[in-house]
Amino acid sequence: MSEMEMTSQTPEKREQSLLNLICLIAAALFLALVAYNLFAAGAVISTDGLFFTVVPLLLAMMFLVVPGLDMWKKRKALAAEGGAAEAAAHAEPEEEIHFVGSNRLFLSVWFWLLVLTAFEVFLGYIRLPVVYMLVILMGASIIKAALIVAYFMHLRFERINLILTIVPAVVICICLLLVFFPDSFRAKNLRYSGPPPAAGSEARP
Amino acid sequence: MATEAQALAGDWGGGVHPYRVGHRKLGMWLFIMSDSLTFSALLMGYAYLRASNVWPEPFKFYPSIVFSSVMTLVLLSSSLTMVMAVSASARRDKSRARLWIIATALLGLTFIILHSIEWNHLISEGLRPFQLPQEWVEKWPGSTPLFGATFFGITGMHMFHVFTGCIYLFVVAARVNKLKHEDVEISGLYWHFVDLVWMFVFPMIYLLSVYPRK
């Protein structure tokens, strides 16, 4: 029975692929004509040149419609099959969700982030000397970053494997960037800091 | 003891996820690691320039600092709404998750608008990437013109991240019914990272350059 079906289908398929092939060859010929015309005509944007470009292009597209439609049909059939298979695969296990933390916890984290931010802005308001400012601000920012990573980004509730993969690497890399600072201070010390040049000497533009 | 050893063997024996996260989530974590290095390089470059130069401190407490504090508040609140979205999605409440995600993206857009206004102030004062306004040059003689380069570079990079995050969140909100919970969580990871970066940019760029009281 199935063999019968196979044999009855095969000539049809062969016909279809032969038709596709002929159409493709015709389209390719017309496209070649277009290309030849483009090179031979010299000026592309003349009325005649445009005509001889557009008309073979249209004809080529007409021939391309047949294999195009065939391909589209095949892809749709494939997608339907794949979709059915995927749906079947999805139907089996419901995605297991790992989620810890209540809305109250998140609200309190948000509250503490706001408090730390307000503290930082207050420091900006009273204008401490810049070195104290830098140390305190960086400390507060690191605490804030830790809060965000731990609770909002949920890292605290992940496996220790993941935490140990992510955190130390980033921290070490960032600390390595500090290697530039001695050079920065050196550049500052190289700067001329004597008395300003005499008023009579040449003025800089 | 035996059970622990068995558990470990089970973890690394193949066929399971040793990190207990999907590959997409792990990928987002790796992206966040690399992106945090991008931002730290930018901020370190800023700190380098600042330590080795005369640096202008132009941000008056009002309006600049107050304005940027409001921006910080907006971004922090958007983080909260994102967490709410993830928590709703964990309860399989897709429609509420979608609302929270849209709220997050709108707060992100608010941040962008506020920041553009702030940029506009500075630009109309005459700040350019490689040029200071004349007033500032008189107030801080010999100060470096690279102030604008670092300011626009760092905050612009951050704004670009917020912008792409907004697009990302709108796409997630539109497709939330088709997506898994983990996909929503991944978009949350990205958004919190953007917030985290601002927690360093805000103090380093703004609060360390408050206009001196004189």
Side-chain angles (χ1 to χ4, degrees), chain A residues 30-44:
Chain A
F30 278 115
L31 286 177
L33 192 62
V34 171
Y36 171 75
N37 186 49
L38 281 180
F39 282 110
V44 181

Side-chain angles (χ1 to χ4, degrees), chain A residues 1-17:
Chain A
M1 184 64 191
S2 63
E3 267 197 47
M4 279 289 286
E5 268 179 24
M6 288 274 282
T7 46
S8 66
Q9 260 182 7
T10 315
E12 211 173 276
K13 267 194 182 167
R14 206 177 287 158
E15 256 174 42
Q16 178 71 42
S17 51

Side-chain angles (χ1 to χ4, degrees), chain A residues 21-92:
Chain A
L21 190 67
I22 291 170
C23 285
L24 281 177
I25 289 172
L29 281 176
F30 278 115
L31 286 177
L33 192 62
V34 171
Y36 171 75
N37 186 49
L38 281 180
F39 282 110
V44 181
I45 312 296
S46 64
T47 323
D48 290 356
L50 214 59
F51 178 80
F52 282 115
T53 311
V54 169
V55 170
L57 211 60
L58 259 179
L59 287 170
M61 273 161 74
M62 273 174 65
F63 277 102
L64 278 177
V65 164
V66 177
L69 272 179
D70 191 42
M71 229 162 79
W72 191 53
K73 232 163 64 184
K74 271 185 196 157
R75 273 193 59 181
K76 241 177 122 176
L78 255 177
E81 251 176 57
E86 209 174 316
H90 268 263
E92 283 174 26

Side-chain angles (χ1 to χ4, degrees), chain B residues 14 42 65 83 100 137 181 188 192 196:
Chain B
L42 280 173
I65 298 294
V83 150
W100 282 118
V137 177
H181 165 69
H192 295 313
L196 189 155

